[in-house]
Amino acid sequence: MADAESRYARARHEKGTAVSDTPTSPGEEDADGSIEPNPTAEHPTTPAPAPAPAPEPLLEPEPEPEPASAKPRRKKGPIIAIVLLAVGLAAVAGVLTFALVQLDKAFVLIEEQQRELDEQRDLIDQKETFSQSATELMSTAAQFDGLPFSTMVNPNTLETLIQSGWTHRWNSAALERASTNVDEETARLAALIAEAEEQKASNGTGTHFEKVTDRLGQGFISTSLTDTDEICEQDVWGCVGGDDPYTIHYDHAETRAEPFMNNTIREGVAYHEYAHVLQFTNPAQTEKALTAFDGDWETMADCFALTYLDGWKLDHTIWVSSYEYWEVSVGYGYTCNSEQRKVIREWRESLGYQHEPISQ
Ligand SMILES: [Zn+2]
């Protein structure tokens, strides 16, 4: 612009020189050749300072302006459209984000509800499983009803197991463990039944002792032929140990080698030993009955044989030939009276497991 202004100042000066011959020129030239400003001239007479002021728009007319609305209008349309599009996209993005958040919350809620449903379904399944297990346990235990071995099936154990289902009714894992415990007891009882059936159907020792023992014990009592002097720690024909009350040990050597031994004596011995099984497996009832025998387990066992084995006696005369016989005493030398035999009967009838239903 500075160059443009300078060119304009020089143009005025050259124009003034050209009109010096013409008095109607805008200004008179002085003697020194300078040009006086003409008050009538279009422009002020005061000497124009150099540089000149900003160019007047009249001398170099600017290009005719475009219609004010033409160009901006062409630009505003797309801009507004872009802005609207951006706003729209932002709104859509916001709505989508909101929708996604809501959807995510919905998924979380659904998953939580599904988990709760699964837990409830699992709990229901566990309850059904426990109910089936409990039913099976009780039906298995019912097969022991009347069996004279109280320690074989414990009603308190059954009740505790059955009640555990109610105790853990809101805890699936605990309920599952309770079912497992019930199943284990069922399996134990079922195994005893299976073994008893097998034992009752066979005679592993091939002896009269086992035949009698299997009948008395219904297969639940094992017969063992052994050296009773060692097992029983005394010179006897048989014994039962408290650590394994379901096994009767018979002396293998004496009960076979003695010339006077016969099946009648063997049967009496088996009854005596079986009484010991009942004593060990029914401690509470036995303790009460023992008072009738001054606490003597052996005379009580003899009395059991005398009460339940028809024709049994403790003293026997055993003829081994037409001229030779043996006087054989079996037991502990005391034949119980009728009162004691009554005690024995009442004792025997009170023994064992009496099956009763247990509510779940
Ligand atoms: Zn004995």
Side-chain angles (χ1 to χ4, degrees), residues 5-69:
E5 290 172 352
S6 298
R7 282 195 299 275
Y8 170 67
R10 281 193 298 274
R12 279 191 69 198
H13 178 75
E14 289 169 359
K15 187 177 182 181
T17 302
V19 298
S20 58
D21 295 334
T22 305
T24 58
S25 63
E28 295 293 334
E29 186 175 5
D30 291 341
D32 55 359
S34 64
I35 299 174
E36 290 297 330
N38 187 352
T40 61
E42 291 179 12
H43 300 286
T45 56
T46 54
E56 294 293 335
L58 292 176
L59 298 178
E60 287 189 7
E62 295 179 356
E64 186 177 349
E66 298 285 341
S69 61

Side-chain angles (χ1 to χ4, degrees), residues 32-257:
D32 55 359
S34 64
I35 299 174
E36 290 297 330
N38 187 352
T40 61
E42 291 179 12
H43 300 286
T45 56
T46 54
E56 294 293 335
L58 292 176
L59 298 178
E60 287 189 7
E62 295 179 356
E64 186 177 349
E66 298 285 341
S69 61
K71 202 170 183 179
R73 279 179 185 167
R74 287 198 300 272
K75 293 180 178 176
K76 280 183 180 175
I79 289 173
I80 290 172
I82 289 171
V83 169
L84 289 176
L85 183 61
V87 170
L89 287 174
V92 170
V95 170
L96 283 176
T97 303
F98 178 77
L100 286 173
V101 170
Q102 295 303 315
L103 197 61
D104 189 52
K105 287 181 179 177
F107 279 137
V108 171
L109 183 61
I110 290 172
E111 287 178 355
E112 187 176 341
Q113 290 176 339
Q114 186 63 45
R115 189 176 65 254
E116 290 177 356
L117 284 173
D118 290 343
E119 290 175 355
Q120 290 176 355
R121 190 178 294 113
D122 184 50
L123 194 59
I124 292 172
D125 290 343
Q126 291 299 339
K127 284 181 179 178
E128 290 180 355
T129 300
F130 181 86
S131 179
Q132 292 173 358
S133 294
T135 300
E136 189 175 357
L137 172 61
M138 293 306 292
S139 66
T140 305
Q143 298 178 56
F144 291 80
D145 186 39
L147 203 65
F149 316 114
S150 295
T151 53
M152 192 166 277
V153 180
N154 189 333
N156 293 331
T157 299
L158 294 182
E159 186 167 3
T160 299
L161 288 170
I162 299 300
Q163 292 300 324
S164 66
W166 174 258
T167 303
H168 302 303
R169 64 190 181 282
W170 300 120
N171 188 323
S172 179
L175 201 55
E176 187 175 11
R177 289 194 295 274
S179 296
T180 301
N181 293 335
V182 169
D183 291 342
E184 288 177 355
E185 179 65 5
T186 302
R188 186 185 74 84
L189 296 179
L192 289 174
I193 293 172
E195 291 171 9
E197 290 296 325
E198 183 179 349
Q199 192 157 256
K200 193 164 57 178
S202 62
N203 190 327
T205 62
T207 63
H208 194 68
F209 283 126
E210 183 167 344
K211 179 182 177 182
V212 177
T213 301
D214 285 348
R215 175 168 54 83
L216 291 174
Q218 301 178 54
F220 288 93
I221 309 303
S222 298
T223 298
S224 169
L225 291 180
T226 185
D227 182 358
T228 53
D229 292 356
E230 181 180 343
I231 295 294
C232 307
E233 297 179 343
Q234 54 185 319
D235 184 14
V236 292
W237 288 347
C239 72
V240 176
D243 57 338
D244 180 15
Y246 297 102
T247 300
I248 297 177
H249 301 279
Y250 296 103
D251 191 275
H252 184 264
E254 289 190 35
T255 55
R256 284 197 163 192

